Amino acid sequence: MKNGSKIIPLSDGPLPVGMKMLFCSANLKMQGDTAIYTVKYKGAADSIVWRMAPDGLLGMDALVLNYRAKNKFDGVYFDRPVLNFGFSFSFPEKNISGMRWLGKGPYRVWKNRIEGTNYGIWQKDYNNTVTGEYYHQLIYPEFKGYHADLYWATLQSKTTPMTVYSETDGIFFRVFTPEEQRDRESRGISVKEYPAGDLSFLFEIPAVNSQGTGGEASYIKINKGDDGFRMKLWFDFRN
């Protein structure tokens, strides 16, 4: 995606996480000096409205799970059971040096491991800490994983900085994939906890049990007349 002559690094998204969505149509228009790109879908997602403001801010307004019979996608809306639910994007990890954010921290979380985090403005440096595997360098708190109740976050980088703001309460921010998950995948162990992509904005994340494997999943039920859920985010790629 381009903003004037500048290439915005957020790409290959939004990818549906835990749900089914199929592109139907798109419409581009100007509203004053703001470009508005509306995409309609079948499935769990009804629409995503993108707004490019003249100051360079990119807005995303996604509407999901508002029941519409005509929007059935092979009779399936979402995964059963639901481990993660929301959207993912690809984002370059190699130049990230740290993260500063407003939300619950400073630790990463699971759905049943949120106690011990507190609201605040937090800062942590990039690391690949693998807890329990001491051949890795241990730097705490761990950088990668799920973060609770995002209000804003800045991924710090000399080349690809990004700040995201959330207008939606209770969003989980997944930041890359922890190294221990990649180690497990390389050994042929199934890993279900983390969705595709690099950055995710999620209504739901999985629990974890004491052995580190997946815990209880969530279940979603939608009915005719439901208003659905909105996810409203703003992305800022300016240095």
Side-chain angles (χ1 to χ4, degrees):
M1 185 173 292
K2 293 185 178 182
N3 175 13
S5 61
K6 180 180 177 181
I7 298 177
I8 294 176
L10 192 66
S11 61
D12 297 333
L15 305 173
V17 176
M19 60 178 161
K20 314 298 182 184
M21 53 188 278
L22 179 67
F23 174 85
C24 287
S25 64
N27 176 262
L28 176 64
K29 67 178 183 180
M30 294 298 298
Q31 190 174 77
D33 53 6
T34 298
I36 299 178
Y37 184 61
T38 302
V39 186
K40 300 291 290 185
Y41 298 92
K42 287 184 179 179
D46 178 271
S47 62
I48 299 179
V49 179
W50 296 94
R51 290 178 172 84
M52 176 60 76
D55 59 4
L57 286 175
L58 177 66
M60 170 184 161
D61 184 355
L63 176 60
V64 301
L65 298 185
N66 63 320
Y67 180 83
R68 298 289 186 273
K70 65 182 177 63
N71 279 354
K72 281 188 177 180
F73 178 62
D74 295 334
V76 178
Y77 292 94
F78 42 80
D79 293 347
R80 298 178 186 273
V82 173
L83 294 175
N84 294 279
F85 191 84
F87 298 96
S88 274
F89 296 86
S90 296
F91 190 85
E93 177 182 339
K94 64 180 181 179
N95 295 318
I96 298 300
S97 59
M99 183 173 77
R100 183 175 174 84
W101 79 103
L102 172 59
K104 284 189 174 179
Y107 308 107
R108 63 187 186 184
V109 302
W110 298 91
K111 186 175 180 179
N112 61 337
R113 296 290 188 272
I114 297 178
E115 291 185 7
T117 60
N118 297 288
Y119 284 107
I121 296 177
W122 305 100
Q123 170 73 43
K124 60 181 173 179
D125 295 334
Y126 179 91
N127 64 72
N128 279 313
T129 292
V130 180
T131 296
E133 298 187 12
Y134 298 105
Y135 58 87
H136 288 262
Q137 184 180 11
L138 300 180
I139 302 173
Y140 290 98
E142 299 99 327
F143 186 79
K144 302 177 184 180
Y146 300 110
H147 299 76
D149 289 357
L150 174 72
Y151 285 92
W152 58 259
T154 297
L155 292 175
Q156 297 160 331
S157 169
K158 292 182 179 179
T159 57
T160 56
M162 183 196 76
T163 298
V164 58
Y165 306 91
S166 176
E167 291 190 41
T168 303
D169 291 334
I171 293 295
F172 292 97
F173 182 33
R174 170 277 190 104
V175 181
F176 304 121
T177 300
E179 289 298 314
E180 64 264 28
Q181 299 300 320
R182 292 174 179 165
D183 288 348
R184 289 172 64 193
E185 287 177 330
S186 69
R187 298 196 300 269
I189 302 173
S190 177
V191 177
K192 299 181 181 179
E193 293 90 345
Y194 288 89
D198 302 300
L199 304 179
S200 304
F201 304 92
L202 305 164
F203 294 107
E204 286 285 344
I205 62 172
V208 66
N209 66 23
S210 59
Q211 284 75 45
T213 56
E216 291 186 3
S218 298
Y219 290 87
I220 296 174
K221 182 179 180 180
I222 56 176
N223 299 294
K224 188 173 182 178
D226 284 353
D227 293 332
F229 298 94
R230 303 194 86 95
M231 183 182 292
K232 300 182 72 174
L233 305 171
W234 290 92
F235 300 95
D236 187 352
F237 302 95
R238 298 169 297 180
N239 290 326

